[in-house]
């Protein structure tokens, strides 16, 4: 009797969904999911940097030298023939100041205004995760009411913003939370032609990566803040920032997967949100446009 009971527990554990035991993802499955929504794929993707943090590199990559490193704060515009989808939503000056912790850091008001114009124009807005530099544009300020009904937040992102927001400025009330398109999914979710959400908790509970396949066949993976610098992916090394708490095993699994993709998928461009060197390199290479349209 006892043995049968133990066996049942074992079977139940084995049958648990893969992502209940940590992160896993498969690029072939993601491509299949991305092909499920009919319609023309996107033509190109643009990036805008609206602020910077000046932190030494050792915070972004454990063991890296304490040399100066610019962290770009960015948002992305996916351009379809008949409209745009925004990835992340910028932030106002007050939220920017939270990140500086008393140190004045560069904030580019003209570029933030370009982000706001692009958000107003977008058909859909989706977030890599629920931190202030990614969601503030759709949760606070004069535009939030207008943008919320076309903004997709996951159930987990909403939950964090209700109960444990990164800063008081982005805390949602239950009434505010009702304004968004709230989604929940197991592992992947197709959101637009060629565009798929990939559940990736770790940096935050509501973190997700976003895969985009263009008409040209070029592929992109927006990894959000899984790494703050691409060296984190290249070296499979996490951050060393005492002010954040991450799920370490999940982070290692995500970095390991991204690293394997850099070797096996030469056609796939991995974009980490805050790597300024990578942003400039991708613009120079024509992989990302440097302004919104
Ligand atoms: Zn961030």
């Amino acid at each position: 009797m006892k043995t049968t009971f133990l066996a049942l527990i074992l079977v139940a554990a084995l049958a648990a969904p893969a992502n209940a035991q940590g992160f896993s993802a498969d690029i072939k499955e993601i491509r299949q999911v991305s092909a499920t929504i009919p319609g023309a794929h996107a033509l190109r993707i643009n990036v805008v940097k609206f602020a910077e943090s000046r932190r030494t590199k050792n915070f972004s990559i454990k063991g890296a030298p304490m040399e100066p490193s610019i962290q770009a704060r960015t948002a992305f515009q996916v351009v379809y023939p008949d409209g745009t989808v925004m990835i992340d939503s910028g932030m106002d000056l007050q939220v920017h100041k939270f990140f500086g912790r008393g140190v004045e850091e560069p904030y580019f008001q003209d570029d933030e205004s370009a982000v706001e114009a692009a958000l107003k124009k977008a058909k859909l807005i989706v977030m890599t995760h629920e931190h202030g530099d990614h969601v503030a544009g759709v949760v606070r300020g004069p535009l939030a009411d207008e943008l919320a009904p076309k903004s997709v937040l996951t159930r987990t992102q909403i939950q964090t913003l209700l109960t444990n927001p990164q800063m008081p400025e982005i805390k949602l009330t239950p009434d505010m939370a009702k304004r968004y398109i709230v989604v929940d999914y197991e592992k992947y979710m197709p959101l637009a032609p060629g565009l798929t959400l990939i559940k990736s908790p770790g940096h935050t509970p509501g973190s997700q990566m976003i895969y985009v396949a263009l008409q040209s066949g070029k592929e992109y993976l927006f990894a959000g803040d899984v790494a703050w610098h691409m060296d984190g992916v290249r070296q499979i090394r996490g951050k060393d920032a005492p002010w954040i708490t991450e799920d370490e095993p999940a982070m290692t699994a995500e970095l390991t997967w991204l690293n394997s993709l850099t070797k096996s998928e030469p056609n796939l461009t991995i974009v980490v949100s805050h790597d300024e060197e990578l942003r400039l390199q991708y613009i120079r290479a024509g992989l990302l446009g440097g302004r919104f349209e």
Side-chain angles (χ1 to χ4, degrees), residues 162-238:
L162 283 167
T163 59
N164 189 25
Q166 184 186 29
M167 63 197 72
E169 286 87 349
I170 58 168
K171 187 177 172 69
L172 287 181
T173 64
D175 268 348
M176 288 160 75
K178 285 182 197 150
R179 304 175 302 180
Y180 299 93
I181 304 167
V182 182
V183 300
D184 199 2
Y185 63 97
E186 184 67 18
K187 194 163 179 180
Y188 313 122
M189 194 181 108
L191 193 68
L195 190 153
T196 291
L197 310 178
I198 304 154
K199 192 172 263 193
S200 325
H203 176 62
T204 63
S207 288
Q208 56 191 349
M209 297 190 229
I210 301 170
Y211 168 90
V212 184
L214 299 185
Q215 275 182 29
S216 63
K218 278 192 185 121
E219 299 171 292
Y220 296 77
L221 186 60
F222 292 86
D225 285 20
V226 173
W228 280 340
H229 190 284
M230 198 60 186
D231 281 357
V233 171
R234 294 179 188 117
Q235 302 168 10
I236 315 185
R237 222 181 280 185

Side-chain angles (χ1 to χ4, degrees), residues 105-292:
E105 296 184 311
Y107 184 76
F108 311 113
Q109 185 56 59
D110 287 353
D111 296 300
E112 170 59 22
S113 298
V115 174
E116 287 167 15
L119 293 169
K120 286 175 81 162
K121 215 173 106 177
K123 288 202 165 168
L124 196 65
I125 305 164
V126 62
M127 258 54 69
T128 57
H129 63 291
E130 64 274 34
H131 275 163
D133 52 328
H134 302 262
V135 300
V138 301
V139 304
R140 55 182 262 116
L143 286 182
D145 281 336
E146 177 187 338
L147 300 178
K150 59 178 182 178
S151 296
V152 175
L153 289 172
T154 70
R155 173 81 54 207
T156 313
Q157 290 171 346
I158 287 274
Q159 204 53 39
T160 307
L161 292 169
L162 283 167
T163 59
N164 189 25
Q166 184 186 29
M167 63 197 72
E169 286 87 349
I170 58 168
K171 187 177 172 69
L172 287 181
T173 64
D175 268 348
M176 288 160 75
K178 285 182 197 150
R179 304 175 302 180
Y180 299 93
I181 304 167
V182 182
V183 300
D184 199 2
Y185 63 97
E186 184 67 18
K187 194 163 179 180
Y188 313 122
M189 194 181 108
L191 193 68
L195 190 153
T196 291
L197 310 178
I198 304 154
K199 192 172 263 193
S200 325
H203 176 62
T204 63
S207 288
Q208 56 191 349
M209 297 190 229
I210 301 170
Y211 168 90
V212 184
L214 299 185
Q215 275 182 29
S216 63
K218 278 192 185 121
E219 299 171 292
Y220 296 77
L221 186 60
F222 292 86
D225 285 20
V226 173
W228 280 340
H229 190 284
M230 198 60 186
D231 281 357
V233 171
R234 294 179 188 117
Q235 302 168 10
I236 315 185
R237 222 181 280 185
K239 309 175 189 80
D240 195 7
W243 61 90
I244 52 159
T245 45
E246 296 185 328
D247 175 342
E248 291 295 337
M251 298 312 292
T252 303
E254 287 161 22
L255 290 170
T256 303
W257 182 61
L258 291 172
N259 179 276
S260 76
L261 293 176
T262 63
K263 291 163 184 156
S264 64
E265 303 293 337
N267 183 48
L268 179 76
T269 299
I270 296 175
V271 183
V272 293
S273 291
H274 298 309
D275 185 335
E276 173 65 350
E277 292 157 35
L278 198 68
R279 186 185 73 89
L280 294 171
Q281 182 193 320
Y282 286 167
I283 291 172
R284 273 198 303 270
L287 291 165
L288 293 174
R291 56 183 55 228
F292 290 159

Side-chain angles (χ1 to χ4, degrees), residues 54-132:
R54 301 282 172 86
R55 292 170 182 160
T56 49
K57 204 168 175 180
N58 54 298
F59 291 115
S60 295
I61 311 124
K62 202 179 186 114
M66 279 183 64
E67 61 189 27
S69 177
I70 293 176
Q71 280 198 318
R73 299 202 186 272
T74 51
F76 302 89
Q77 181 188 49
V78 185
V79 182
Y80 284 83
D82 53 353
T84 59
V85 174
M86 289 292 289
I87 298 176
D88 292 341
S89 68
M91 64 181 179
D92 57 275
L93 186 59
Q94 192 180 331
V95 172
H96 172 68
K97 284 183 170 158
F98 166 91
F99 288 105
R101 288 173 175 76
V103 179
E104 197 160 325
E105 296 184 311
Y107 184 76
F108 311 113
Q109 185 56 59
D110 287 353
D111 296 300
E112 170 59 22
S113 298
V115 174
E116 287 167 15
L119 293 169
K120 286 175 81 162
K121 215 173 106 177
K123 288 202 165 168
L124 196 65
I125 305 164
V126 62
M127 258 54 69
T128 57
H129 63 291
E130 64 274 34
H131 275 163

